[in-house]
Amino acid sequence: MSTEHFPKRAMILAAGLGKRMRPVTATTPKPLVEVAGRALIDYGLERLEAAGVEEAVVNVHYLADLVEVHLTRRPSPKIVISDERAALLDTGGGIAKALPHLGEQPFFLLNADTFWIEGARPNLIRLAEAWDPDRMDGLLMLAPTVTSVGYDGSGDFDLATDGHIIRRQERLVAPFAYAGAAILAPRMFENAPDGAFSLNTLFDRAISDGRMYGVRMDGLWLHVGTPRAIKDAEAAIAESAA
């Protein structure tokens, strides 16, 4: 399988405080929390490498030194640190700060703690194959809420038959949650706010412009948001292996 035309760069959001994961994150940054004996961020990096990514930009803030030391042990993909020690910039601001490292081409985006059991075909490959720069500014991996492990929210999006995503309305329930993996075009960040801001600001603008799409993931999304969810994820991994 050729990955020649797939994104060669990626951004991993690893700067968050991991408050819901306390007390585990009192001394361990959430990207380094282990599930089945491996740090969460390593699962994502290995999937990026398998999809042909050559360079990954990782932003750091909370317990940043620990994250940096851990990343020096990885031979590939090449890691570039985007330092947010001075000020946490939220998801949108963090990517905006890192754009000079990401270049002018579309890039993969991963939350450092996003985690899933693959289905028949790797999900990052499926995202890259579905990407259409003429129609899209963003393409999100979406997980069905009813089958996800560790997720108890109301969902984020509906998915139209043509692939457009529709934001969940207040007090309603949506069938899909954003699973923390995407492909984004740098043009999405044109005229973005300064400083710290949520990526949802730009998602909503792209939805309004008709340029935001989604792909239903193949496999099982493991939402590792609390200490209890670690055990649930490990049980799902063991069951899948069996």
Side-chain angles (χ1 to χ4, degrees):
M1 174 185 54
S2 173
T3 60
E4 180 181 354
H5 301 294
F6 292 2
K8 300 303 179 188
R9 291 179 177 171
M11 175 84 192
I12 299 182
L13 297 173
L17 302 177
K19 291 180 178 179
R20 293 184 65 225
M21 190 65 84
R22 289 177 180 170
V24 176
T25 50
T27 57
T28 302
K30 192 175 180 185
L32 302 190
V33 169
E34 291 192 355
V35 175
R38 297 162 64 202
L40 284 168
I41 196 171
D42 287 335
Y43 288 99
L45 284 166
E46 287 168 9
R47 284 170 180 154
L48 288 170
E49 183 180 11
V53 168
E54 299 170 355
E55 184 171 291
V57 182
V58 182
N59 68 340
V60 296
H61 173 78
Y62 178 63
L63 299 177
D65 291 351
L66 296 180
V67 178
E68 286 198 66
V69 169
H70 180 86
L71 293 174
T72 61
R73 302 168 186 159
R74 293 200 58 87
S76 61
K78 177 184 176 183
I79 301 296
V80 176
I81 297 296
S82 181
D83 195 331
E84 294 181 26
R85 285 176 174 86
L88 190 58
L89 295 174
D90 205 345
T91 50
I95 300 172
K97 176 179 169 34
L99 281 179
H101 299 298
L102 292 166
E104 300 178 356
Q105 298 302 312
F107 56 91
F108 283 112
L109 173 68
L110 284 187
N111 293 344
D113 60 349
T114 197
F115 184 47
W116 66 88
I117 298 171
E118 297 281 20
R121 297 178 64 245
N123 280 289
L124 296 187
I125 299 295
R126 295 176 68 244
L127 272 177
E129 290 175 344
W131 174 256
D132 182 349
D134 293 331
R135 293 186 297 130
M136 302 173 182
D137 286 344
L139 179 65
L140 308 185
M141 185 174 84
L142 301 179
T145 58
V146 294
T147 57
S148 298
V149 173
Y151 181 77
D152 59 2
S154 299
D156 300 312
F157 301 105
D158 283 284
L159 185 60
T161 55
D162 64 357
H164 279 103
I165 59 173
I166 303 149
R167 176 76 72 176
R168 176 181 65 85
Q169 298 299 305
E170 191 175 356
R171 294 188 294 275
L172 296 179
V173 174
F176 295 101
Y178 172 47
I183 296 176
L184 303 182
R187 62 175 170 265
M188 179 182 284
F189 292 82
E190 294 174 0
N191 301 312
D194 295 327
F197 68 93
S198 171
L199 188 55
N200 282 311
T201 301
L202 304 186
F203 283 1
D204 288 341
R205 186 172 71 181
I207 290 171
S208 179
D209 292 341
R211 296 189 58 83
M212 202 70 183
Y213 288 75
V215 170
R216 177 176 178 149
M217 69 169 294
D218 185 18
L220 183 63
W221 184 43
L222 309 176
H223 185 248
V224 188
T226 64
R228 170 55 195 249
I230 297 173
K231 295 181 180 179
D232 293 341
E234 289 178 335
I237 293 169
E239 182 178 346
S240 174

